[in-house]
Amino acid sequence: MGSIEQQLECREKAEYADVNWDELGFALTKTDYMYVMTCCEDEEKFSQGTLTPFGNIELCPSSGILNYGQGLFEGLKAYRKEDEGILLFRPEENAMRMKMGAERMCMPSPTIEQFIDAVKKTVLANKRWVPPHGRGALYIRPLLMGTGPNLGLKPASEYTFLAYASPVGNYHKGDMKLIVEDKLYRATPGGTGSVKAVTNYSPIYKALTQAKAKGFSDVLFLDALTGRNIEEGSACNIFILKGNVISTPTAHGTILPGITRKSIIEISLTLGYQVEEQAVPIEEVFDAEEVFCTGTAMVLKAVASITYQGKRIEYKLGKETVAQKLYATLTGIQTGLIEDKMGWTVEIY
């Protein structure tokens, strides 16, 4: 990381926006720039993108995204190191997932190189909004939208890729208390549950709103086919721990293959845990020692309790938990405190 003198010199050169970093939650703070590029039906690839001041965009009332929900989004973070350097975490994984989602939604997508370049340029243009080390992250939200006009039901004739950013803090504050939803379902076999389609999210608002009105943090959804297996939360994957075994539902088509999920599986294996990706019946949570959720927004969060059909199960929390060990390892890599032997981080200048 360089000498203390070098680190101090970097700190003196760093410019920060006027933000109370200690009060950041997970909400939009408008930053300086966004990155935009387009692709028309007579073009084979996206055009060279441009940075433009952050602001509203103009859409035709009959655009594919507004009328038929033809759109995807991604989410990733940039972290500030102790020496003021900036790290991205596994951006190529987001790029590949967007390509997979675009194929499912009949959309062209940026190349992996275009995606990563767009993210880098968005971060650098907004680098004064990257929080100081250990006080949050810059969340980058790439969007892929059908913006061409369509009255009939068909893929759009024009597409827009847009990336914007916002500094963020914790996604969930306080203990995480889940309630199992056994009447509404997040995804169905053959649907779009395994991609980040924009249409996956608003249908869960009803369940989430009802849960929060009862004092819960989030909803744990069951599979639509049998109603017996746990799948994921409203915006997170789930893991359970029993002894040395960490289990998580298989990402088989109705579950989003989360990048944080993938990273935690790989870290768990390197730390000597046995990881099982399989169907996880709801009964398995009754005698789990620990339960935790993962996602880009929340990173990794231990679950304090799960309530199912009036029965509340509580789990181990605290500094000595496996969840805390995994969280410390992951965030250490993300922020440059731990050597990245996985090759996951990308430093940008």
Side-chain angles (χ1 to χ4, degrees):
M1 290 189 294
S3 68
I4 293 176
E5 289 79 12
Q6 288 173 321
Q7 291 180 39
L8 288 173
E9 183 180 355
C10 287
R11 285 193 182 95
E12 289 170 359
K13 293 178 180 177
E15 177 193 355
Y16 288 100
D18 184 16
V19 174
N20 186 337
W21 306 109
D22 298 320
E23 292 187 0
L24 280 178
F26 198 86
L28 177 67
T29 297
K30 295 180 180 180
T31 53
D32 299 324
Y33 295 97
M34 57 188 185
Y35 186 92
V36 181
M37 56 182 166
T38 59
C39 179
C40 298
E41 61 182 347
D42 57 347
E43 299 173 346
E44 294 184 358
K45 60 183 180 180
F46 275 82
S47 60
Q48 179 68 33
T50 58
L51 284 165
T52 184
F54 179 86
N56 294 339
I57 60 173
E58 185 175 290
L59 288 172
C60 177
S62 66
S63 62
I65 181 67
L66 292 180
N67 287 254
Y68 300 113
Q70 191 185 21
L72 298 161
F73 72 89
E74 278 295 328
L76 64 161
K77 287 177 176 176
Y79 296 88
R80 185 83 67 171
K81 297 167 60 183
E82 281 188 319
D83 65 1
E84 300 292 354
I86 298 174
L87 294 176
L88 291 174
F89 185 71
R90 308 191 78 171
E92 74 287 345
E93 293 286 339
N94 295 90
M96 289 188 286
R97 190 167 65 181
M98 177 168 274
K99 287 185 71 68
M100 291 172 54
E103 181 179 355
R104 175 65 178 85
M105 301 290 284
C106 294
M107 307 168 75
S109 67
T111 64
I112 292 174
E113 293 74 19
Q114 283 180 314
F115 181 101
I116 294 175
D117 181 62
V119 169
K120 286 181 177 180
K121 286 178 176 174
T122 303
V123 173
L124 289 175
N126 296 294
K127 64 181 178 180
R128 71 192 188 100
W129 298 93
V130 181
H133 176 79
R135 298 169 73 183
L138 185 72
Y139 181 86
I140 305 100
R141 171 61 61 84
L143 299 168
L144 182 60
M145 306 172 286
T147 46
N150 261 0
L151 190 58
L153 184 61
K154 62 179 181 179
S157 58
E158 181 177 323
Y159 296 88
T160 299
F161 172 92
L162 186 153
Y164 68 94
S166 173
V168 296
N170 292 331
Y171 188 76
H172 279 295
K173 294 184 179 180
D175 288 346
M176 190 169 186
K177 298 175 289 184
L178 304 181
I179 184 169
V180 178
E181 174 56 60
D182 57 5
K183 294 182 176 63
L184 302 174
Y185 299 96
R186 176 191 169 273
T188 56
T192 58
S194 63
V195 300
K196 286 189 76 71
V198 298
T199 49
N200 288 349
Y201 294 86
S202 57
I204 63 96
Y205 288 171
K206 182 175 182 179
L208 185 59
T209 301
Q210 291 174 343
K212 290 192 172 183
K214 296 175 183 177
F216 295 98
S217 312
D218 206 339
V219 176
L220 177 57
F221 289 96
L222 301 175
D223 75 295
L225 197 60
T226 71
R228 295 197 301 265
N229 300 318
I230 63 173
E231 289 213 322
E232 61 180 281
S234 61
C236 56
N237 296 116
I238 189 165
F239 292 79
I240 67 171
L241 171 74
K242 293 184 181 182
N244 197 55
V245 180
I246 297 173
S247 302
T248 189
T250 307
H252 52 57
T254 56
I255 295 172
L256 185 74
I259 294 160
T260 309
R261 172 188 182 275
K262 180 178 181 179
S263 304
I264 286 298
I265 289 173
E266 294 177 44
I267 289 172
S268 298
L269 291 170
T270 65
L271 293 178
Y273 294 97
Q274 179 181 338
V275 179
E276 296 181 349
E277 295 182 74
Q278 59 188 17
V280 181
I282 182 61
E283 291 79 15
E284 291 290 311
V285 308
F286 295 165
D287 58 353
E289 297 165 33
E290 295 181 36
V291 177
F292 55 89
C293 293
T294 63
T296 297
M298 71 171 55
V299 187
L300 185 153
K301 180 81 172 177
V303 173
S305 68
I306 295 178
T307 298
Y308 176 57
Q309 294 182 345
K311 180 180 179 179
R312 176 187 172 97
I313 308 100
E314 297 185 347
Y315 304 101
K316 184 179 178 182
L317 301 174
K319 294 182 179 179
E320 303 304 316
T321 59
V322 172
Q324 181 58 34
K325 182 192 300 186
L326 294 172
Y327 173 83
T329 303
L330 176 63
T331 56
I333 293 170
Q334 290 174 328
T335 59
L337 288 177
I338 294 176
E339 181 184 357
D340 178 16
K341 296 180 181 179
M342 304 286 199
W344 288 344
T345 56
V346 177
E347 187 156 13
I348 57 177
Y349 305 92

